[in-house]
């Protein structure tokens, strides 16, 4: 079993990245990055040991410095809008509190469950099963002899 210590959601026009800091049962911490691309129902995961994170960051920064300015993102551009605006995210949260399941929300907003769950997790909302308990109509009584 693993425990999520911290979770961050990065949303872009065509994909979302869920970055989790996870503590494994063995006590080892690692980072899990899950990418979900809009239109696809599958997601890709990458697990990174914390001992290599600093080396990985330095290599990525080195690569970023070597990218010609024409290919890099200009500094004057505004960041891309998230897939769901803050208002839409609040609508999702409100409907979830009214009892809608994550599957229903995904259908209503034409997206996948992997996009709805991180929105709720980033708002510090625990994800629970919204199904009502099954009520038994018939009770079995012991007959007395």
């Amino acid at each position: 079993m693993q425990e999520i210590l911290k979770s961050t959601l990065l949303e872009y026009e065509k994909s979302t990245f869920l970055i989790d800091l996870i503590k494994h049962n063995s006590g080892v911490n690692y980072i899990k990055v899950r990418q979900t691309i809009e239109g696809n129902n599958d997601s890709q995961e990458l697990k990174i040991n914390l001992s290599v994170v600093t080396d990985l960051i330095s290599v990525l920064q080195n690569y970023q410095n070597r990218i010609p300015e024409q290919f890099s993102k200009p500094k004057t551009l505004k960041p891309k809008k998230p897939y769901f605006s803050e208002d839409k995210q609040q609508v999702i949260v409100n409907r979830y509190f009214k009892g809608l399941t994550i599957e229903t929300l995904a259908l209503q907003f034409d997206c996948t469950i992997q996009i709805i769950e991180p929105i709720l997790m980033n708002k510090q909302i625990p994800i629970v099963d919204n199904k009502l308990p099954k009520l038994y109509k018939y009770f079995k009584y012991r007959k007395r002899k």
Side-chain angles (χ1 to χ4, degrees):
M1 191 70 188
Q2 56 190 13
E3 176 188 356
I4 298 176
L5 301 175
K6 181 152 175 70
S7 183
T8 304
L9 178 68
L10 302 175
E11 295 177 312
Y12 298 97
E13 287 180 13
K14 295 190 178 182
S15 64
T16 59
F17 295 89
L18 179 63
I19 304 167
D20 295 327
L21 177 60
I22 297 179
K23 182 176 184 177
H24 197 268
N25 279 350
S26 62
V28 177
N29 292 348
Y30 64 94
I31 295 174
K32 180 172 75 170
V33 179
R34 180 171 57 183
Q35 178 188 19
T36 305
I37 300 172
E38 182 184 346
N40 294 350
N41 289 336
D42 60 320
S43 61
Q44 302 169 0
E45 284 189 3
L46 173 65
K47 295 180 181 179
I48 303 170
N49 191 329
L50 289 181
S51 63
V52 300
V53 169
T54 53
D55 293 336
L56 185 61
I57 289 172
S58 66
V59 167
L60 291 175
Q61 287 175 339
N62 187 11
Y63 286 173
Q64 182 182 18
N65 293 336
R66 290 178 181 222
I67 295 174
E69 190 62 36
Q70 64 186 13
F71 295 116
S72 65
K73 183 177 170 183
K75 308 285 188 234
T76 58
L77 285 181
K78 295 179 182 176
K80 293 181 181 178
K81 284 187 174 180
Y83 183 71
F84 285 115
S85 67
E86 197 61 40
D87 296 335
K88 251 187 176 178
Q89 289 181 15
Q90 193 59 43
V91 170
I92 290 172
V93 169
N94 291 342
R95 290 183 185 179
Y96 182 74
F97 281 145
K98 287 181 181 178
L100 293 178
T101 63
I102 294 176
E103 293 84 8
T104 306
L105 290 170
L107 286 173
Q108 286 182 353
F109 289 94
D110 193 29
C111 64
T112 63
I113 295 170
Q114 289 85 8
I115 293 175
I116 300 292
E117 283 180 346
I119 290 171
L120 296 173
M121 285 191 283
N122 281 347
K123 303 273 185 192
Q124 305 298 322
I125 299 171
I127 296 175
V128 296
D129 187 17
N130 289 356
K131 295 180 183 175
L132 293 174
K134 193 174 188 180
L135 298 175
Y136 295 102
K137 292 183 180 179
Y138 305 104
F139 298 97
K140 294 182 181 179
Y141 295 100
R142 262 179 91 173
K143 292 182 183 178
R144 293 185 183 202
K145 293 184 182 181

